[in-house]
Amino acid sequence: MINPQFSRRKFLRGLGVTMALPWMESLPVWDAVAAPGAPASNEAPVRLGVLFAGNGFHSKEWWAKGAGNQMELGRVLEPLTDYRERMVFIRGLYNAEALKGNIHSSQTGNMLSGAPLANGGEIRSGTSFDQVVAQNYGRSTKVPSLVVGCERSNPGIHKNYSMLYSSHISWSSPTAPTPLEVYPALAFDRLFKDSVQRGDQSVLDAVLDEAHRLRRDIGSNDQHKLDEYLNSVREVERRIEQAGNRGEVQGWRPTLDKPDIPRPPDGMPQDIPEHMRLMSDILVLGFQTDTTRVCTLKLNNDHSYLLFRHLGVTVGHHELSHQDNEAWLRVNQFFVEQLAYIARKLDAVQEGERTALDNSMLMICSSMLTGRHNAKQLPVVLLGGAGGQLKGGRILNYLDKPNRKMCSLFLSLMDKYGIHLNEFGDSQERLLEV
């Protein structure tokens, strides 16, 4: 029997800390007042995760054929082999407006909106579909949208287009890119802390007493789930603290009046694998606790300067993208491994009869098919079940079909969050197969 003292939206609270709980069998923790299209209070919500990898992929190794668990994948997509039955490989879509400039900025700034881009010093794109979802479906959560990245924005100009376009795929309005958080510590704090102050205690330390009281009133399965959740939060905190002790950029948190370490190089984290894994773990925690239902993770910029020394690669990402060699393939696989890692973590979180992956829709995309600025068709993979609304194990090829608009895909995806628009970007029709 459910304890009547618990509301439909349950948090652990401590001094300066508000931490949402994961899905539980014996305790309804979801929203009492749902946003349009939100699930019933006894069902886990559908999450949206958008991952972006700049500069496209290997031209000969981004492919899929077949269906279900017999689907064959090109080498770029091999990290997703275990999830073939839950993925949709989409071929042939494009943004018409992105073809006008034929440079990185003009192909990226409207990646998720299909909007025309202003140039000549003006900044104007369009509200991206992830933010439309956030402003409607995600508004009942503590953090309607979490937008994180692993490379800083580039404020420069390239061929009369602002490189802010190549640094931001998420736009809250046509003139405002959504603020991008590149520090995992601050992204973590935004999910769990009401404010950030010097000498802040651990998130878990602040709510531990209330967590112990809650544990006495829930079933044994939920006690195990609560313990796993609290341990995962502690692990992320521990890794962030260790990174800070090493003086790395991803460990920075505002506990000082001024930095006590030298200013790190612009846009170049010292430990790229750890940076990306921390951001991936934060995405999972945000979904698992229903602190956010929408997360956009920009793994790097288009026209990126990241260098992947841990893969034995000594050429910068942008320069490497013009070469279809083994080094480029290794970098591509490393990016797709981040999606596989997130999927694996979500799939380990049980939410009733489904897992968190079943209740999520993940998308990985880039603003060009290959590093040679080929934006006439875009690479897109969907992963997850969207709460039973998305059938996996399929390949959808629109290359020879009349409706090839990316915005048609976005209209179809927004439908799954109860957001039914007549038009979006340059499209007034959906991809019915999705």
Side-chain angles (χ1 to χ4, degrees):
M1 181 176 178
I2 295 173
N3 191 326
Q5 70 174 326
F6 297 129
S7 68
R8 286 189 175 182
R9 189 71 182 101
K10 182 65 180 175
F11 297 91
L12 294 178
R13 300 184 189 275
L15 182 60
V17 173
T18 303
M19 192 166 78
L21 286 168
W23 187 92
M24 293 186 177
E25 296 175 3
S26 55
L27 175 65
V29 299
W30 309 114
D31 298 347
V33 181
S41 61
N42 62 339
E43 294 182 6
V46 181
R47 291 71 162 221
L48 172 65
V50 179
L51 278 69
F52 174 83
N55 298 328
F57 297 99
H58 195 293
S59 64
K60 296 181 177 61
E61 297 295 344
W62 178 272
W63 57 267
K65 59 184 179 181
N69 61 9
Q70 301 301 311
M71 185 184 294
E72 298 179 47
L73 303 179
R75 293 169 69 193
V76 172
L77 294 171
E78 282 180 355
L80 299 178
T81 298
D82 291 343
Y83 299 98
R84 289 171 293 182
E85 292 182 272
R86 296 154 92 175
M87 66 175 280
V88 181
F89 181 88
I90 302 179
R91 183 185 178 204
L93 300 181
Y94 80 112
N95 278 323
E97 289 291 338
L99 302 181
K100 293 183 177 180
N102 195 32
I103 60 170
H104 290 272
S105 294
S106 68
Q107 293 174 340
T108 309
N110 56 13
M111 175 71 220
L112 301 182
S113 69
L117 299 180
N119 58 14
E122 184 182 357
I123 304 293
R124 177 172 287 274
S125 178
T127 303
S128 53
F129 101 93
D130 64 315
Q131 290 306 304
V132 174
V133 175
Q135 292 163 12
N136 291 271
Y137 183 81
R139 67 189 180 193
S140 58
T141 57
K142 179 182 177 183
V143 180
S145 167
L146 184 67
V147 180
V148 293
C150 302
E151 185 174 14
R152 289 186 180 90
S153 300
N154 187 338
I157 300 291
H158 184 216
K159 295 186 178 179
N160 211 30
Y161 282 90
S162 170
M163 292 190 73
L164 287 176
Y165 290 139
S166 64
S167 304
H168 293 272
I169 62 168
S170 184
W171 290 72
S172 300
S173 76
T175 57
T178 311
L180 177 70
E181 183 53 71
V182 296
Y183 293 106
L186 294 184
F188 181 86
D189 288 348
R190 187 172 177 222
L191 287 178
F192 299 121
K193 293 192 177 183
D194 299 330
S195 62
V196 179
Q197 303 175 30
R198 182 172 180 173
D200 274 348
Q201 66 183 132
S202 160
V203 165
L204 287 190
D205 291 344
V207 300
L208 212 51
D209 287 344
E210 186 168 349
H212 287 321
R213 287 194 294 271
L214 170 66
R215 199 177 188 280
R216 294 195 296 265
D217 296 305
I218 57 179
S220 59
N221 288 341
D222 285 340
Q223 288 178 0
H224 180 67
K225 185 184 293 293
L226 178 64
D227 292 342
E228 283 186 338
Y229 165 56
L230 295 177
N231 286 336
S232 66
V233 173
R234 177 74 79 189
E235 173 63 15
V236 173
E237 279 197 325
R238 183 188 65 79
R239 286 163 56 202
I240 289 175
E241 181 180 1
Q242 288 179 342
N245 291 338
R246 293 194 301 265
E248 295 176 1
V249 63
Q250 67 265 26
W252 183 91
R253 60 172 67 231
T255 57
L256 302 171
D257 294 331
K258 58 183 179 180
D260 62 350
I261 60 174
R263 184 177 182 273
D266 286 343
M268 298 293 287
Q270 289 92 331
D271 187 343
I272 295 173
E274 176 68 359
H275 197 143
M276 289 189 179
R277 283 299 162 91
L278 279 171
M279 288 305 195
S280 297
D281 283 336
I282 288 168
L283 179 154
V284 172
L285 279 175
F287 286 179
Q288 183 181 353
T289 63
D290 200 35
T291 307
T292 189
R293 295 174 184 173
V294 182
C295 183
T296 305
L297 171 53
K298 183 175 67 68
L299 297 172
N300 68 334
N301 294 339
D302 215 47
H303 208 285
S304 173
Y305 298 105
L306 290 186
L307 190 63
F308 299 88
R309 296 186 186 277
H310 70 287
L311 299 175
V313 177
T314 58
V315 178
H317 192 272
H318 176 235
E319 182 181 351
L320 187 66
S321 70
H322 291 268
Q323 309 170 30
D324 274 351
N325 56 22
E326 285 297 312
W328 181 231
L329 177 62
R330 288 199 300 274
V331 171
N332 289 176
Q333 290 176 326
F334 172 70
F335 276 53
V336 176
E337 283 169 4
Q338 310 312 310
L339 175 61
Y341 176 80
I342 291 170
R344 186 162 57 251
K345 296 275 285 189
L346 289 173
D347 207 28
V349 177
Q350 198 68 36
E351 296 179 333
E353 296 181 356
R354 299 187 182 124
T355 69
L357 179 61
D358 297 327
N359 290 322
S360 298
M361 182 165 59
L362 307 176
M363 179 175 80
I364 189 168
C365 59
S366 187
S367 58
M368 56 188 70
L369 183 62
T370 71
R372 294 181 174 88
H373 298 200
N374 176 10
K376 293 182 180 179
Q377 56 172 313
L378 299 175
V380 179
V381 166
L382 303 178
L383 190 63
Q389 301 177 85
L390 184 64
K391 180 183 177 182
R394 297 183 295 154
I395 296 171
L396 301 179
N397 187 355
Y398 295 94
L399 197 56
D400 297 321
K401 295 185 178 180
N403 181 12
R404 294 180 50 211
K405 297 175 179 178
M406 277 290 289
C407 288
S408 298
L409 172 64
F410 300 148
L411 281 170
S412 296
L413 298 186
M414 287 187 286
D415 282 345
K416 301 182 189 306
Y417 297 89
I419 304 167
H420 306 294
L421 303 181
N422 293 326
E423 60 182 324
F424 181 76
D426 61 355
S427 179
Q428 297 179 344
E429 54 184 330
R430 288 155 169 77
L431 302 180
L432 299 181
E433 301 86 353
V434 176

